[in-house]
Amino acid sequence: MIVYELGSQTMKQASIFQRPAWVVVFALTAAIAWGWAFPLIKVGFNAFGITADMTGSKMLFAGIRFAVAGLIVLAVARSSGRSFKTNKTSDWLFILAFALMNTTLHYFFFYVGMSHSEGSRAAILNSLSTFLLVLLACACFKSDRLTTRKILGCAVGFSGILALNLGGSHSGQFTWLGDGMIILNAVCSALSGLMTRGLSRKVDIFVGTGYSLTIGGLLLIIPGLVFGGTLPVINTLGIVCLLFLIAISAIGFALYNKLLSLNPVGKVAIYNSLIPIVGAVTSCLCLGETFYTKYALAGGLAALGIYIVNKGKN
């Protein structure tokens, strides 16, 4: 397996994305934004009249979101003078593979899962990606070592995910179309996070992010249209939700991918503990979903697991 190492950390003036205070600001911004995506997707589905069985329409909705977000990132990258140069055909193949993993497959599973699961439940279950990324990073990057602390943190975090299935059917049980799809989404998220370090060596990371979102979005739009996908009802609420989701994707992925490309995974992953908490709370507040006690337990264990993983030196 190819091992990518972090670039030189001895530069006289570190990048703003490596300065501790700004790492906190940028990582928090991405995590909180992604937490809000859970209720916005559900509201957007309802506003556009997209029902649980309309797979093509869900793919179209997701594709529009990411393709437009990618074009925005590329436009900003161009206006700021970033290099679009790629030297090899293999670089484009890597970008395509990243787009498939980071956007197309990742969010196909996510949108299908979201339409068959409560937003609060999906938000907590999605935290599985953080623990998978931590473990995979230890196997692939010299900057991330597997320690007892990381193993303990992952065990605590996984126990939080298992806590979702406590109780009877009235408090929600595992379903393949709901929880199963969210788990596959989490696996794609972890693998794409792992690939981000490699992407930064193929092309400027902001440009690569723009390419992946645009290409990945188009690869959702095309099959979405083939499967008869439409936006049945066009209204202001749906458009506003879509615009917010576009902004979340453009800002969240641009910041997060840049942070992952320059810092050890552990330094960035801790802030993702906010995603399930923000997602669960906002889903209950915005969608009127029942907030089960086990959601607090699962969210707390997930956050504690990520804290343990990142406590102290990486």
Side-chain angles (χ1 to χ4, degrees):
M1 181 176 291
I2 296 176
V3 177
Y4 296 106
E5 297 185 56
L6 289 176
S8 174
Q9 301 292 319
T10 59
M11 298 172 59
K12 290 183 179 180
Q13 186 173 8
S15 164
I16 189 172
F17 291 95
Q18 292 172 292
R19 299 174 189 172
W22 285 105
V23 169
V24 172
V25 172
F26 293 144
L28 283 176
T29 299
I32 293 173
W34 278 330
W36 272 96
F38 290 88
L40 285 173
I41 290 170
K42 301 282 279 190
V43 173
F45 280 170
N46 291 332
F48 282 120
I50 299 174
T51 58
D53 60 338
M54 299 172 67
T55 302
S57 295
K58 285 180 280 190
M59 294 176 72
L60 177 63
F61 181 91
I64 293 172
R65 170 190 174 186
F66 296 113
V68 174
L71 291 173
I72 291 173
V73 173
L74 290 174
V76 172
R78 176 68 72 183
S79 65
S80 61
R82 293 186 175 276
S83 173
F84 279 64
K85 184 179 180 181
T86 52
N87 298 320
K88 303 175 182 177
T89 301
S90 60
D91 292 346
W92 280 107
L93 291 176
F94 189 93
I95 291 171
L96 176 60
F98 184 77
L100 284 169
M101 187 65 66
N102 187 60
T103 305
T104 307
L105 293 175
H106 180 180
Y107 283 97
F108 170 76
F109 294 136
F110 182 74
Y111 274 62
V112 172
M114 279 294 294
S115 64
H116 292 87
S117 177
E118 292 190 337
S120 49
R121 182 183 179 87
I124 298 169
L125 190 60
N126 190 55
S127 64
L128 172 65
S129 63
T130 299
F131 306 109
L132 288 176
L133 181 54
V134 169
L135 294 175
L136 289 172
C138 292
C140 299
F141 303 143
K142 290 183 178 180
S143 59
D144 290 87
R145 295 177 301 168
L146 184 62
T147 63
T148 302
R149 170 172 47 80
K150 289 183 178 180
I151 294 174
L152 175 61
C154 287
V156 172
F158 279 124
S159 69
I161 295 170
L162 293 175
L164 277 178
N165 295 297
L166 295 175
S169 59
H170 65 281
S171 60
Q173 291 184 321
F174 180 91
T175 63
W176 285 110
L177 281 178
D179 296 349
M181 292 295 104
I182 295 297
I183 289 173
L184 289 176
N185 150 76
V187 172
C188 289
S189 177
L191 292 176
S192 59
L194 200 66
M195 296 171 69
T196 300
R197 195 75 57 77
L199 181 69
S200 68
R201 285 157 176 75
K202 307 292 184 183
V203 65
D204 178 275
I205 192 63
F206 287 113
V207 175
T209 298
Y211 280 147
S212 73
L213 290 172
T214 303
I215 296 171
L218 290 174
L219 292 176
L220 282 167
I221 290 174
I222 294 172
L225 292 173
V226 170
F227 291 143
T230 62
L231 300 180
V233 181
I234 305 296
N235 53 48
T236 302
L237 178 59
I239 293 173
V240 169
C241 285
L242 186 56
L243 290 175
F244 273 118
L245 288 168
I246 289 170
I248 286 171
S249 294
I251 295 171
F253 276 108
L255 293 177
Y256 190 67
N257 286 351
K258 184 65 175 180
L259 290 173
L260 283 182
S261 71
L262 292 174
N263 300 280
V265 170
K267 277 191 173 182
V268 180
I270 187 172
Y271 302 100
N272 285 352
S273 63
L274 279 178
I275 296 176
I277 298 171
V278 174
V281 172
T282 55
S283 291
C284 292
L285 291 176
C286 298
L287 305 175
E289 295 178 354
T290 302
F291 191 89
Y292 298 109
T293 303
K294 68 176 181 179
Y295 286 175
L297 173 62
L301 287 172
L304 176 60
I306 298 174
Y307 172 75
I308 293 173
V309 165
N310 292 278
K311 182 180 179 181
K313 297 181 179 180
N314 288 288

